[in-house]
Amino acid sequence: MSTVYRLKASELNHHFLEQIKATFGDKEIEIIVSECDETEYLLKSEVNKNRLLKAIENVKEGQNLVEVNLQNLQ
């Protein structure tokens, strides 16, 4: 069985440990901690990757940009 928990280090607490204990019982588990790279996560999906790369291209070329007047948001 494999379970992935994605959370901020500041969210680690007693309840999190209790959840792991409840999920795995007395089984031996392996805990691997790694920093998440948001860019890597966003580029996993081929569709999302293409969308993001196209957006970067649009910014570089100054095309398909939307201007927002912050004063209108108030």
Side-chain angles (χ1 to χ4, degrees):
M1 179 171 143
S2 177
T3 304
V4 175
Y5 297 91
R6 189 179 194 114
L7 65 155
K8 295 178 182 175
S10 61
E11 297 172 332
L12 292 171
N13 58 31
H14 177 71
H15 298 291
F16 176 74
L17 292 175
E18 291 303 320
Q19 182 180 8
I20 291 175
K21 289 178 183 179
T23 302
F24 294 99
D26 196 36
K27 297 176 184 169
E28 184 173 324
I29 63 170
E30 177 180 40
I31 297 176
I32 300 171
V33 178
S34 63
E35 186 176 7
C36 296
D37 180 353
E38 296 295 326
T39 306
E40 182 181 323
Y41 173 76
L42 293 172
L43 297 178
K44 281 184 181 179
S45 159
E46 195 64 33
V47 172
N48 203 41
K49 176 182 176 180
N50 291 336
R51 236 178 121 206
L52 291 170
L53 293 176
K54 181 62 178 168
I56 291 169
E57 184 180 319
N58 284 339
V59 170
K60 286 180 180 177
E61 296 177 0
Q63 297 177 346
N64 301 316
L65 302 177
V66 176
E67 288 188 37
V68 176
N69 183 336
L70 297 179
Q71 292 179 349
N72 292 341
L73 296 176
Q74 295 177 350

